[in-house]
Amino acid sequence: MGSLFRSEEVCLAQLFLQSASAYSCISELGERGLLEFRDLNPKVSPFQRRFVGEVRRCEEMEKTFTFLQQELRAAGRLPAPCPESPRAPAAREALRVQEQSEQLAQELREVSRSRSSLRDRLRDLRQHLHVLREGQRFTSLPVGPGVPAGLGREPILDPSLHHHLDRKINFVAGVIHPWRVTAFERLLWRACRGYLVASFVEMPEPMEDPATGESITWVIFLISYWGEQIGQKIRKISNCFHCQVYGYPESEASRTEAITRLHGQIQELSTLEETEKYLAEVLDKVAQVLPTWRVQVQKMKAIYLVLNQCSFDVTKKCLIAEVWCPVRDLTQVQDALRQGSVSGSCFVQRVPTTESPPTLIRTNKFTAGFQSIVDAYGVASYQEVNPAPYAIITFPFIFAIMFGDVGHGLLMFLFALWMVLYEDSPRLRQGTNEIWLTFFEGRYLILLMGAFSIYTGFIYNECFSKATAIFPSAWSVATMANHSSWSSAYLATHPSLTLDPNVTGVFQGPYPFGIDPIWSLATNHLNFLNSFKMKMSVVLGIVHMGFGVMLGVFNHVHFQQRHRLVLEFLPEMIFLLALFGYLVFLIFYKWIKFSAADSRVAPSILIHFIDMFLFTSNAENLPLYPGQVPVQMVLVVLALASVPVLLLGTPLYQWCRQRAPRTVRPRAHDFAEIFMHQAIHTIEYCLGCVSNTASYLRLWALSLAHAQLSEVLWSMVMRNGFVGLSYVGGVVLVPVFAAFAVLTVAILLVMEGLSAFLHALRLHWVEFQNKFYVGAGYKLCPFAFAPDTWE
Amino acid sequence: MVSLLCCGPKMAACGLVLSAWGVVMLVLLGIFFNVHSAVLIEDVPFTEEDFKGGPERIYRLYEQVSYNCFIAAGLYALLGGFSLFQSRLNKRKEYMVR
C-alpha cells in the first residue's frame, strides 16, 4: 500500500533469452504479469517478423476452433467454461492440439454431411410416398356400385372413358409450396386451355422445407392431361414453380408396387439414427476439450507476438527483450527466468535511461475505484504525488455536501452494501449491461458516498425532506407568545410571527448536532440556510485548495527542485492565505464574535472584502475588530508582492544557474519558453484562486436544489396520501407511496446522485488538482494472459 | 391447475424491495404521527375550525393519519408476502427447467 502515495519506481531492463528457452521464459513471465515489453522492431511489418510462421499456425488453429464453436452452437450446446487456466503448450503439445482439432473438425464435417444427405433422401422418399397415396384418391377405381356417399369423390376421370376418347391419359404428380397453389392453378388453366384436370390436396403431415428449415404443410397435386404438347408445357410450368415432380405410374398395380417399394426403402434408412448418435458423441468430445485448447492457443499466440518484439543478437545467439520492470519485482523476474530456462542461462539486466518510465500504482479492490476516477482525468506522471488516497475521503464528503439527506443516503448505502456483500456472486459479476457494470465497479465509492450522505443529512437535519427532532428544539414559541402577549386579533391579522432571539428564553442555545428542526417550519428557512451553506462552501473550498497547494511541496522535494519551494510554493501560499485565508478568518470571527444582540449593527463581510481590494472604507460598515484597515492593507500588499515573485522567480533562478559554469548538464534552455510557461502558470493560479473559490459555491447550489426537490416531491406526491381521513385513506396511501418511492429513486437518487457525483468530480479534477497535479504520464500495461473474453 | 406465477424474477424483486421500504417507512411515519410530532404539521389535513378549543382536535387528526399509515404498512406487508411467494415460485421454476 505504500505505493498509493506516489507511483512505484520503474526501471528499464534488458532480458537476454537463449533461443531454446525463450518461449518458456516468456510463458513464465506472462503467467506472473510483471513486465511491459517494448517493441524493438517497430519498423518491421508483421509479415517479416521472426515468428510469423508460428503466429500463422496459431491463427489457423483458432479458425478451426471457431468452426467447432459454430457447430456446437448450431447443435444447441454450450461449451463448459475452463475451470483453471492451463499453461501455454510446448511445441510438441501444440502440434498434437493442432492435429487433434483438425481431425475432429474433419470428422464433424463428414458426419454432418452424411447426416444431411440421409435426411434429404428420407424426406424425398416420404414425399413420394404421400404423393402416391393421395393420388390414389383421385384415380382409383370405385369399389362397387354402392359407393357410400361419405367417401366423397368420384374418380375424376372414369377410366372407362379411356376407350371412348381414344387418347392416352397421362399424369403429372408432385408437391408444391402451399402459397403458390393459386398462381399455379391459374397459370395451368390459362396455358393449357382446359385440356387438363388438376387436383390439389394437402399433405397429411407437415414436412421440413430444405431451404428454410421450417415446417410446412405441402400441397400434393395431380394433373391429368392428354396430349404431348400439353405435357411439356405442364412440366415447364411446374419447373418454374419449383415443384418437386414424381413419376406417377398409370396402372393401379404398378402404383401399389411402387408404394410397397418406397416403404421398404424408408425402413432401410435406419442408419440415420446411428449417424445422429455418432454426431452427438463427436460433439460431446468437442465440448469437453475446446475451452482448454482455446485458452492454450490464445496464450501461445500472445507469447509469439511478444517474441516478435524482441531483437535477435546473432553473435550471442540469444533474443534480447527490452522491458519496463518495477524495481521491486526484479528478483521475481530473475526467478521466473530461472524457472523457464533450461540451464539458467537467461538473465535480466537493468539499463539506465533518460525516458520517462510508465506509472504503476498498485491498488486493491477498494482503492481501485478511487484511483480510476483520478486516472480518468489523467494518469499521474512518473513518481508524481497521487491524489487518489485523499480522494477516498474528500470525494464522498464533497458529494455528501451536495446530497445531504438521511433517507436518500441510507437507500444509497443499502444498495451499495448489497453489491459489496454479494460481490463474489457470479450472477452479479457476469452482468452484460454496461451501466450496471459501471455501478458495480464503483460499489465502494457508492458505499462511502451513502455513508457520508447520512452524516451530512443529520447535519442539515433532513430525512426525506422532513427534519428529525432527535434533541428537543432550542427555540421556545411559548416564551415568545407570553412575552409578546399575542392576542387572537393580532394572530388573525399577522400571518407570520417572529421569534426574537433577543428575548430571554426564546433561544436557549445552539442545537447539539446539526440544524435546529424548527427551521423546517420557519418561513425564512432559506435565508438562514443560504447564508450558512454559502459560507460553508467557501470555507471548504479554500481548505481543499490550500491542501492541494501543500501537496505540491512533496513534488518539489522529491524531484530535487527545492528552489521551487521558496520561489513558487511560498508566493502561492501567501497569495491564497492572505486574501482567501483572511476571508475564512473573517467568516469564523464574525460567527464567534457577533451574536443576536448586535444583529442590527453587525458588519457585512462582503462589503469589507470589497473595500479591502479597493482601499476604500464605508462609514456605515463597522469594523470587525480594531485595527482592521491597516491589517487588510498589509495583507493586500503582501499578496500583490507575491505575484511578481511567482512570475519571475523560477525563470530567473534557472537562467542564473545556466550562466554559472558549474552545471553538469548544460541544456540549451529556451528562456522565452520557460518564462512563457511561468507566466501562464502565474496568471492561471491567481485568476484561478478567485474563480475556483467561487466555483465551490456549487456545493451550496446543489444542496439547495436537492433539498427543494425533496420538499416538492413530498408536498406534491406524499401529502396527497394523508388527505383522506376515513380508513379508505389508508388504502389510497399504498399507491401514493409507491409513486413517491419510484420518483424518489428516479429523480432524487439517480438524477441528483449523478449530478452531485459529476460536480464533485469536477471540483476534484479542476479546482483541486490544478494546484499541484500534472497528470501527463502513461500506465504500465504488463504482459499478462487476460482471461478468456470470447463469449 | 392454472399457474400461480404471474411476475417475473425482476418484478418480484422490485416488489419485495418496495414493500420492505414501504413497511419500514410507513410504520415509522405512523409512530411519528401518533406522537403528534410538530414537524409533520403540514401533512395533517386540518381546517380552520380544528384550531379552536385546544389542541385535542388536532391530536385526533394526527392519530387518524397515523392509523392510515399503519393500514398502508399492513397492506405493504401483504404485498411483500406476495412478492416473496412469487420469487420463490420463480426460483423453483428455474431449478425445474434444468
Side-chain angles (χ1 to χ4, degrees):
Chain A
M1 273 298 281
S3 82
L4 205 61
F5 177 63
R6 57 161 46 100
S7 66
E8 270 187 31
E9 209 184 328
V10 171
C11 65
L12 189 66
Q14 275 184 337
L15 301 176
F16 292 89
L17 309 162
Q18 296 296 326
S19 308
S21 35
Y23 180 85
S24 49
C25 284
I26 303 282
S27 164
E28 194 57 50
L29 286 172
E31 293 286 332
R32 296 187 196 210
L34 301 166
L35 315 169
E36 179 179 345
F37 283 85
R38 292 179 75 184
D39 194 356
L40 290 174
N41 314 318
K43 299 207 178 60
V44 181
S45 87
F47 301 104
Q48 291 168 340
R49 296 204 184 208
R50 218 178 139 66
F51 294 95
V52 66
E54 277 83 356
V55 173
R56 205 172 279 150
R57 204 174 65 160
C58 292
E59 280 174 358
E60 274 172 23
M61 277 200 268
E62 277 177 358
K63 260 191 243 158
T64 319
F65 294 158
T66 322
F67 167 69
L68 290 174
Q69 174 83 358
Q70 277 172 354
E71 287 297 313
L72 273 183
R73 202 168 280 161
R77 288 168 196 254
L78 304 155
C82 207
E84 80 312 306
S85 195
R87 296 185 70 100
R92 211 176 307 144
E93 210 181 313
L95 204 57
R96 188 175 60 87
V97 166
Q98 188 176 18
E99 280 172 10
Q100 272 189 347
S101 67
E102 275 172 11
Q103 193 190 23
L104 269 180
Q106 188 69 13
E107 269 181 34
L108 206 57
R109 262 189 228 113
E110 277 176 19
V111 172
S112 315
R113 209 179 313 138
S114 69
R115 176 170 160 269
S116 56
S117 75
L118 277 176
R119 284 175 85 174
D120 279 342
R121 186 155 160 67
L122 181 65
R123 206 194 66 248
D124 213 28
L125 289 174
R126 283 163 79 193
Q127 272 184 348
H128 199 177
L129 189 62
H130 279 300
V131 165
L132 286 180
R133 266 214 213 110
E134 298 303 318
Q136 297 277 53
R137 287 214 253 161
F138 301 127
T139 54
S140 59
L141 294 167
V143 177
V147 173
L151 254 185
R153 315 170 175 267
E154 284 180 352
I156 305 283
L157 285 175
D158 193 350
S160 55
L161 277 177
H162 275 194
H163 317 295
H164 298 292
L165 291 177
D166 196 29
R167 286 184 208 229
K168 202 156 163 303
I169 297 192
N170 304 312
F171 298 99
V172 171
V175 173
I176 186 175
H177 197 284
W179 295 347
R180 302 195 193 117
V181 170
T182 28
F184 187 50
E185 224 182 322
R186 209 180 303 138
L187 193 56
L188 279 176
W189 180 253
R190 286 207 194 118
C192 306
R193 281 183 235 135
Y195 280 97
L196 55 80
V197 179
S199 26
F200 297 86
V201 71
E202 264 189 17
M203 214 187 272
E205 55 162 0
M207 265 200 213
E208 222 181 64
D209 180 4
T212 59
E214 42 178 279
S215 196
I216 305 176
T217 347
W218 298 89
V219 170
I220 301 172
F221 62 90
L222 182 68
I223 307 176
S224 355
Y225 63 93
W226 48 101
E228 256 325 297
Q229 304 282 349
I230 306 264
Q232 280 175 14
K233 266 196 210 165
I234 294 178
R235 276 184 217 281
K236 271 200 202 123
I237 293 172
S238 4
N239 229 9
C240 289
F241 275 87
H242 302 288
C243 307
Q244 192 77 22
V245 172
Y246 296 104
Y248 195 78
E250 280 149 30
S251 70
E252 180 74 28
S254 42
R255 268 180 289 203
T256 22
E257 191 194 312
I259 289 178
T260 27
R261 194 190 56 221
L262 285 173
H263 268 302
Q265 279 177 332
I266 289 176
Q267 297 287 39
E268 277 171 18
L269 281 181
S270 62
T271 48
L272 185 63
E273 280 175 31
E274 286 171 21
T275 319
E276 297 264 7
K277 223 190 302 174
Y278 185 56
L279 183 68
E281 270 177 33
V282 174
L283 283 175
D284 271 334
K285 216 189 309 174
V286 168
Q288 225 179 348
V289 287
L290 190 61
T292 323
W293 283 353
R294 254 198 185 163
V295 175
Q296 283 182 322
V297 170
Q298 244 184 340
K299 288 193 180 176
M300 200 164 102
K301 186 169 164 190
I303 295 176
Y304 278 119
L305 287 175
V306 162
L307 283 176
N308 272 339
Q309 294 178 348
C310 309
S311 76
F312 185 66
D313 190 354
V314 190
T315 52
K316 300 192 209 124
K317 280 229 190 305
C318 66
L319 283 168
I320 302 181
E322 227 176 66
V323 294
W324 288 115
C325 178
V327 170
R328 215 166 72 167
D329 293 332
L330 270 175
T331 38
Q332 249 199 351
V333 169
Q334 189 65 40
D335 221 13
L337 288 178
R338 207 176 313 130
Q339 268 196 329
S341 65
V342 171
S343 51
S345 48
C346 303
F347 60 94
V348 60
Q349 192 183 38
R350 201 170 154 171
V351 158
T353 175
T354 52
E355 275 179 44
S356 180
T359 316
L360 172 67
I361 299 179
R362 290 186 215 260
T363 55
N364 56 23
K365 66 183 178 185
F366 175 67
T367 53
F370 300 98
Q371 188 62 53
S372 69
I373 62 177
V374 168
D375 286 342
Y377 185 64
V379 178
S381 303
Y382 180 60
Q383 295 234 295
E384 182 180 40
V385 88
N386 182 20
Y390 321 106
I392 296 180
I393 294 298
T394 56
F395 180 79
F397 183 62
I398 290 199
F399 172 88
I401 297 208
M402 293 189 267
F403 196 75
D405 188 302
V406 174
H408 302 150
L410 191 64
L411 288 172
M412 204 181 245
F413 181 77
L414 289 175
F415 171 61
L417 195 66
W418 168 69
M419 279 199 290
V420 166
L421 287 178
Y422 287 95
E423 66 187 357
D424 293 324
S425 122
R427 196 169 53 99
L428 285 187
R429 276 206 180 263
Q430 283 159 16
T432 44
N433 190 357
E434 248 187 69
I435 299 183
W436 159 255
L437 278 177
T438 313
F439 277 118
F440 184 70
E441 293 290 316
R443 58 194 181 280
Y444 285 103
L445 248 101
I446 301 179
L447 188 74
L448 281 185
M449 276 154 45
F452 276 78
S453 298
I454 299 178
Y455 170 73
T456 53
F458 277 120
I459 298 235
Y460 292 155
N461 213 347
E462 293 228 347
C463 178
F464 291 111
S465 85
K466 293 281 149 193
T468 52
I470 299 176
F471 304 99
S473 170
W475 291 75
S476 164
V477 183
T479 323
M480 189 70 193
N482 292 337
H483 175 264
S484 318
S485 53
W486 289 330
S487 65
S488 306
Y490 186 84
L491 290 176
T493 47
H494 287 84
S496 76
L497 307 159
T498 319
L499 293 176
D500 190 354
N502 280 324
V503 173
T504 34
V506 173
F507 177 61
Q508 285 142 18
Y511 198 66
F513 186 81
I515 295 191
D516 203 302
I518 200 168
W519 283 108
S520 67
L521 300 169
T523 47
N524 58 349
H525 181 204
L526 283 181
N527 279 351
F528 166 70
L529 219 50
N530 283 349
S531 157
F532 161 68
K533 285 185 179 172
M534 278 197 200
K535 292 182 179 171
M536 167 197 76
S537 311
V538 166
V539 168
L540 283 173
I542 292 167
V543 169
H544 204 207
M545 289 197 291
F547 179 59
V549 176
M550 301 230 294
L551 281 181
V553 171
F554 296 109
N555 279 340
H556 299 328
V557 167
H558 180 83
F559 292 118
Q560 312 288 335
Q561 290 170 332
R562 285 172 200 265
H563 62 274
R564 289 178 75 177
L565 280 177
V566 175
L567 296 172
E568 276 188 32
F569 169 69
L570 207 56
E572 280 176 359
M573 271 317 251
I574 290 178
F575 186 85
L576 185 67
L577 291 180
L579 298 179
F580 300 100
Y582 179 66
L583 178 63
V584 172
F585 163 75
L586 284 182
I587 291 174
F588 278 105
Y589 188 82
K590 185 173 172 188
W591 272 344
I592 294 173
K593 229 16 183 95
F594 290 82
S595 68
D598 20 31
S599 62
R600 293 216 181 269
V601 296
S604 157
I605 296 182
L606 194 57
I607 309 272
H608 274 300
F609 202 58
I610 295 174
D611 287 342
M612 174 169 141
F613 285 104
L614 298 179
F615 292 105
T616 59
S617 67
N618 212 327
E620 286 121 24
N621 210 9
L622 296 177
L624 280 157
Y625 56 90
Q628 183 176 2
V629 175
V631 167
Q632 282 180 186
M633 219 172 337
V634 166
L635 286 173
V636 173
V637 165
L638 210 58
L640 287 178
S642 67
V643 174
V645 175
L646 186 59
L647 180 67
L648 299 168
T650 312
L652 280 177
Y653 174 84
Q654 285 187 333
W655 190 50
C656 289
R657 273 195 68 181
Q658 191 197 11
R659 284 223 301 190
R662 58 190 174 86
T663 49
V664 179
R665 287 187 313 240
R667 270 186 298 191
H669 285 297
D670 193 0
F671 184 62
E673 198 182 300
I674 296 178
F675 178 68
M676 183 68 61
H677 182 163
Q678 195 65 20
I680 293 175
H681 175 77
T682 308
I683 296 175
E684 201 185 12
Y685 181 80
C686 297
L687 289 183
C689 267
V690 181
S691 81
N692 293 348
T693 307
S695 182
Y696 274 92
L697 285 172
R698 71 187 68 220
L699 296 176
W700 156 64
L702 262 102
S703 78
L704 179 67
H706 188 91
Q708 290 301 302
L709 266 178
S710 195
E711 202 178 303
V712 159
L713 193 62
W714 182 278
S715 62
M716 296 197 96
V717 178
M718 195 68 170
R719 198 165 284 173
N720 296 328
F722 302 128
V723 161
L725 276 177
S726 66
Y727 288 114
V728 180
V731 182
V732 167
L733 190 52
V734 174
V736 167
F737 176 80
F740 172 76
V742 168
L743 286 174
T744 297
V745 170
I747 298 179
L748 288 169
L749 287 185
V750 173
M751 189 184 89
E752 276 287 312
L754 282 175
S755 169
F757 181 91
L758 179 90
H759 284 282
L761 205 56
R762 177 249 155 75
L763 283 177
H764 275 76
W765 281 352
V766 178
E767 275 78 11
F768 174 57
Q769 285 180 205
N770 72 3
K771 302 287 178 290
F772 68 99
Y773 193 60
V774 174
Y778 60 105
K779 266 196 176 156
L780 180 84
C781 306
F783 168 64
F785 296 124
D788 194 354
T789 48
W790 280 19
E791 305 304 339
Chain B
M1 172 165 158
V2 66
S3 161
L4 289 170
L5 191 71
C6 61
C7 311
K10 289 204 174 106
M11 186 150 153
C14 279
L16 205 54
V17 169
L18 181 66
S19 308
W21 179 3
V23 166
V24 172
M25 185 155 164
L26 287 169
V27 162
L28 282 174
L29 262 183
I31 293 175
F32 287 139
F33 271 117
N34 221 342
V35 183
H36 320 301
S37 154
V39 175
L40 293 169
I41 186 69
E42 310 267 327
D43 298 318
V44 174
F46 52 74
T47 54
E48 205 37 60
E49 278 88 54
D50 295 316
F51 284 104
K52 306 197 172 115
E56 287 311 312
R57 295 173 66 164
I58 301 282
Y59 286 169
R60 293 292 88 71
L61 281 177
Y62 262 113
E63 275 152 32
Q64 194 66 34
V65 179
S66 83
Y67 297 148
N68 283 350
C69 285
F70 288 133
I71 292 171
L75 289 173
Y76 266 112
L78 286 176
L79 194 67
F82 174 70
S83 298
L84 194 64
F85 174 62
Q86 290 292 319
S87 76
R88 284 251 177 83
L89 281 182
N90 271 312
K91 279 229 175 66
R92 213 186 300 163
K93 181 173 160 193
E94 202 182 285
Y95 289 145
M96 270 170 52
V97 167
R98 301 227 176 178

